[in-house]
């Protein structure tokens, strides 16, 4: 049966990834979406999730719900990042399987790989070395999620697929300076600095770490593609195959926003992992690649921010 006609539950449909996935599914003609806000269904609550699956019996589940945040949030709320994510994914994966779903997509993260993994990082480097301490709580939960997908496939033949997206950005992102990731944080900082006429913008860390950024509409397109074309045990990295230093990213965002002043690097703030570039060979060989170029993607996100997020 085609995915268009299936009952599809998108968990986390108000988040950055989940909302983009809903847009992509709707564009593909999926009219039978099941959506719940966190107020309607607390995915950490096992009994509530059990009742929900018994009532709605989705055929396909996209698990895009998670407690997420940038380097500071991760480091400050270790219990939330570890416990909440373990609860959410265990409840949703188990409920999906037991109530007859035929497929599940689990969204992980590129921070699951070791801090000093070879670059770019192939899926095979999972669990080959110590994690980056600033986000190990989140990473350990996501690694458990991958293993849970593999365990359900192995023990019960459940078609649970794990995707590992790189750092995402786009419309609907969190632009809060304390809890957000670097790209939305810098968009806000440059925007506000320009509006106030400041002479400098503060960038955390040394500016030398390198990160890869994927527009969330590309991620959503990859999800739709893999939903229809992949049934494997192995996780699949989802990225662009290109990275950029934080210093270069700050300069690019400054240009897009039109900020004329200087950058100041606050080295009392953590750098995190030195480099985080995914090896996307598996995804390319499955027939998918990213399309949204970084400058265009940031410019579009900046327009969204000025229209919606202030
Ligand atoms: P990470 O990819 O898990 O390390 O998470 P982030 O996106 O939060 O941070 C990426 C890098 O950007 C780190 O080296 C941060 O120190 C750096 N960075 C520079 N300025 C900022 C900022 O204003 N906010 C955040 N979150 N990170 C920043």
């Amino acid at each position: 049966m085609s995915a268009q006609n299936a009952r599809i539950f998108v968990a986390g449909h108000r988040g950055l990834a989940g909302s983009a996935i809903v847009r992509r599914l709707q564009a593909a003609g999926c009219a039978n979406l099941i959506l719940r806000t966190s107020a309607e269904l607390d995915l950490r609550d096992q009994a509530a999730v059990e009742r929900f699956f018994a009532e709605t019996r989705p055929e396909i589940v996209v698990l895009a719900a998670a407690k997420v945040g940038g380097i500071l949030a991760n480091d400050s709320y270790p219990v939330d990042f570890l416990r909440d994510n373990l609860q959410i994914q265990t409840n949703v994966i188990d409920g999906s399987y037991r109530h007859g779903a035929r497929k599940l997509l689990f969204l992980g993260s590129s921070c699951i790989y070791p801090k000093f993994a070879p670059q770019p990082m192939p899926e095979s480097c999972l669990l080959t070395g110590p994690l980056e301490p600033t986000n190990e709580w989140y990473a350990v939960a996501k690694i458990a999620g991958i293993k849970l997908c593999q365990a359900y496939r192995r023990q019960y033949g459940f078609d649970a697929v794990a995707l590992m997206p790189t750092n995402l950005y786009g419309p609907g992102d969190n632009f809060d300076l304390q809890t957000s990731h670097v790209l939305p944080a810098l968009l806000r900082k440059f925007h506000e600095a320009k509006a106030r006429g400041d002479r400098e913008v503060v960038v955390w860390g040394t500016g030398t770490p390198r990160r890869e950024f994927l527009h969330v509409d590309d991620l959503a397109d990859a999800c739709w593609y893999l939903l229809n074309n992949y049934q494997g045990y192995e996780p699949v990295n989802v990225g662009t195959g290109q990275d950029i230093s934080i210093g270069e990213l700050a300069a690019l965002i400054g240009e897009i926003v039109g900020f004329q002043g200087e950058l100041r690097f606050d080295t009392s703030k953590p750098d995190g992992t030195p480099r985080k570039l995914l090896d996307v060979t598996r995804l390319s060989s499955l027939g998918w690649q990213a399309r949204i170029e970084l400058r265009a993607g940031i410019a579009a996100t900046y327009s969204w921010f000025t229209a919606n997020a202030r």
Side-chain angles (χ1 to χ4, degrees), residues 2-281:
S2 83
Q4 267 97 350
N5 303 321
R7 285 190 308 281
I8 307 179
F9 172 43
V10 181
H13 74 284
R14 286 202 164 160
L16 174 63
S19 57
I21 291 166
V22 166
R23 291 194 297 275
R24 183 65 187 87
L25 293 173
Q26 286 170 337
C30 302
N32 227 337
L33 301 184
I34 303 167
L35 308 171
R36 294 288 185 279
T37 64
S38 52
E40 289 163 348
L41 175 63
D42 182 348
L43 294 171
R44 297 169 302 181
D45 178 344
Q46 200 263 336
V49 173
E50 169 63 23
R51 276 195 305 276
F52 163 78
F53 276 101
E55 277 162 22
T56 59
R57 299 186 63 85
E59 296 163 277
I60 296 176
V61 174
V62 182
L63 178 40
K67 170 78 184 169
V68 297
I71 193 162
L72 195 64
N74 248 277
D75 221 14
S76 316
Y77 306 107
V79 174
D80 298 3
F81 279 84
L82 182 54
R83 181 205 54 199
D84 288 12
N85 285 317
L86 285 171
Q87 288 175 328
I88 291 169
Q89 67 203 28
T90 305
N91 293 342
V92 173
I93 295 169
D94 185 62
S96 302
Y97 165 67
R98 279 186 310 96
H99 293 284
R102 63 179 160 86
K103 185 162 197 105
L104 178 137
L105 273 193
F106 169 68
L107 270 61
S109 159
S110 61
C111 71
I112 56 162
Y113 295 121
K115 175 167 181 152
F116 298 112
Q119 301 288 330
M121 306 181 289
E123 291 86 351
S124 58
C125 70
L126 183 64
L127 295 173
T128 56
L131 297 166
E132 155 60 34
T134 51
N135 55 30
E136 66 177 339
W137 318 101
Y138 181 71
V140 165
K142 289 292 182 181
I143 293 169
I146 300 170
K147 288 292 157 194
L148 206 54
C149 289
Q150 294 182 330
Y152 274 84
R153 182 180 294 278
R154 185 162 158 171
Q155 190 170 337
Y156 298 122
F158 179 39
D159 185 12
V161 163
L163 309 187
M164 298 305 120
T166 193
N167 294 32
L168 300 172
Y169 72 98
D173 209 342
N174 166 19
F175 288 85
D176 177 276
L177 292 181
Q178 292 308 308
T179 57
S180 70
H181 285 100
V182 60
L183 197 154
L186 292 182
L187 272 175
R188 174 180 286 273
K189 283 184 182 175
F190 280 102
H191 178 79
E192 292 179 350
K194 182 183 168 191
R196 286 192 301 256
D198 291 356
R199 294 171 61 172
E200 63 171 27
V201 160
V202 175
V203 179
W204 295 353
T206 59
T208 57
R210 299 185 69 83
R211 294 289 184 273
E212 176 185 16
F213 297 96
L214 179 71
H215 193 282
V216 74
D217 289 347
D218 267 341
L219 181 260
D221 191 59
C223 287
W224 175 244
Y225 186 83
L226 293 170
L227 202 56
N228 292 294
N229 295 288
Y230 183 69
Q231 309 204 320
Y233 176 85
E234 299 296 339
V236 181
N237 287 341
V238 184
T240 63
Q242 288 175 349
D243 65 357
I244 178 173
S245 76
I246 297 302
E248 290 162 345
L249 176 75
L252 176 61
I253 293 179
E255 233 178 276
I256 291 168
V257 172
F259 173 74
Q260 308 287 347
E262 304 290 314
L263 303 182
R264 183 161 64 81
F265 291 94
D266 175 2
T267 52
S268 71
K269 291 284 195 307
D271 265 346
T273 204
R275 198 172 178 204
K276 208 162 42 163
L277 176 63
L278 290 177
D279 182 332
V280 290
T281 308

